Amino acid sequence: QQIKGNPLSYEDSDRTVNISIDDVVVKQHKESRVSESEEAKSDRKYVHNTVAHLEKGKAKYVFNGYGVIIVLRMTIAFLFRNQLLDNNLVFFVDGQKTLHSSILKLFSCFRNIKLILDWYHLDKKCKEFLSMALTGRIVRNAVLERLIPMLWQGRVDASIVYLQSIEPAFIKRNDYIDKLIGYLERNYPY
């Protein structure tokens, strides 16, 4: 029943375009090498790109551009040009709020979109928060062993109840349990 109540239904792969999108930040390279002492004095500069990976069946396409809005506009143009807008558009994203709002704003005229929190970021966030919250890796791994399958199945409510039921003797910082629960609640629709 909990799996059926998941706000994200399963998709028909023949009628779905999967879109993975994320910001990528890398250190900008200099034209010539400088010594470590000179590099320490200078301000590090970074290059911000957004990468979108579109997949429909076996066909794949990648966009790379400066900023979320530009890449999302290229994505809409590509979908329009290739007559893919009548498909379900499933966005796999991390928990970045600005990315969510940009997608929802630019794709607001389409009713067939869905945002899904990607597994990599969800798994990473659980491991980080539980490492800070619990009394050691053995306890953390035992909690993850029960928590991860529930999240994989989309049973967020059961996951939250489980996190709230962890034995107080195993918790060193309850605020990180609260932060993980808040993260799950905030991203519940995704």
Side-chain angles (χ1 to χ4, degrees):
Q1 286 296 359
Q2 291 174 347
I3 294 171
K4 286 181 182 178
N6 187 344
L8 297 172
S9 58
Y10 293 98
E11 297 294 329
D12 176 3
S13 60
D14 294 333
R15 305 270 312 131
T16 301
V17 178
N18 293 315
I19 305 166
S20 302
I21 186 165
D22 199 4
D23 283 329
V24 178
V25 181
V26 294
K27 189 172 113 177
Q28 185 176 16
H29 294 277
K30 304 213 183 291
E31 288 183 32
S32 61
R33 292 191 179 261
V34 294
S35 68
E36 287 184 30
S37 60
E38 288 177 309
E39 187 175 343
K41 292 177 191 174
S42 67
D43 292 332
R44 285 193 171 178
K45 294 186 180 176
Y46 295 90
V47 177
H48 300 265
N49 282 348
T50 300
V51 177
H53 180 266
L54 284 71
E55 185 177 304
K56 170 84 167 84
K58 293 184 180 184
K60 299 175 183 180
Y61 202 82
V62 176
F63 291 110
N64 181 11
Y66 183 73
V68 173
I69 302 299
I70 291 171
V71 171
L72 287 175
R73 286 180 180 164
M74 290 190 306
T75 301
I76 290 173
F78 179 84
L79 294 169
F80 181 72
R81 173 69 177 96
N82 292 286
Q83 300 174 349
L84 295 171
L85 289 171
D86 61 337
N87 287 275
N88 294 312
L89 307 176
V90 179
F91 288 87
F92 294 91
V93 296
D94 61 13
Q96 183 184 351
K97 294 174 193 167
T98 56
L99 180 59
H100 290 198
S101 63
S102 296
I103 292 169
L104 293 173
K105 183 178 179 183
L106 284 172
F107 283 81
S108 63
C109 60
F110 304 105
R111 297 285 174 239
N112 55 341
I113 70 163
K114 188 180 295 185
L115 271 67
I116 297 179
L117 186 64
D118 71 44
W119 185 252
Y120 171 81
H121 288 94
L122 177 61
D123 183 58
K124 180 182 173 193
K125 194 65 83 169
C126 289
K127 288 176 180 174
E128 288 172 358
F129 282 140
L130 291 175
S131 290
M132 299 299 292
L134 302 175
T135 57
R137 68 175 166 72
I138 294 171
V139 174
R140 182 199 78 153
N141 291 343
V143 169
L144 283 169
E145 196 172 302
R146 286 197 56 200
L147 180 67
I148 294 301
M150 284 188 273
L151 290 172
W152 181 258
Q153 296 167 347
R155 298 171 49 217
V156 180
D157 291 330
S159 300
I160 291 170
V161 168
Y162 173 65
L163 288 169
Q164 292 168 335
S165 71
I166 295 174
E167 195 68 40
F170 298 131
I171 299 174
K172 67 179 176 186
R173 301 255 333 248
N174 205 47
D175 57 326
Y176 280 99
I177 297 287
D178 294 339
K179 286 180 183 182
L180 180 55
I181 290 170
Y183 177 80
L184 294 174
E185 289 173 341
R186 219 176 20 262
N187 289 292
Y188 186 84
Y190 312 120

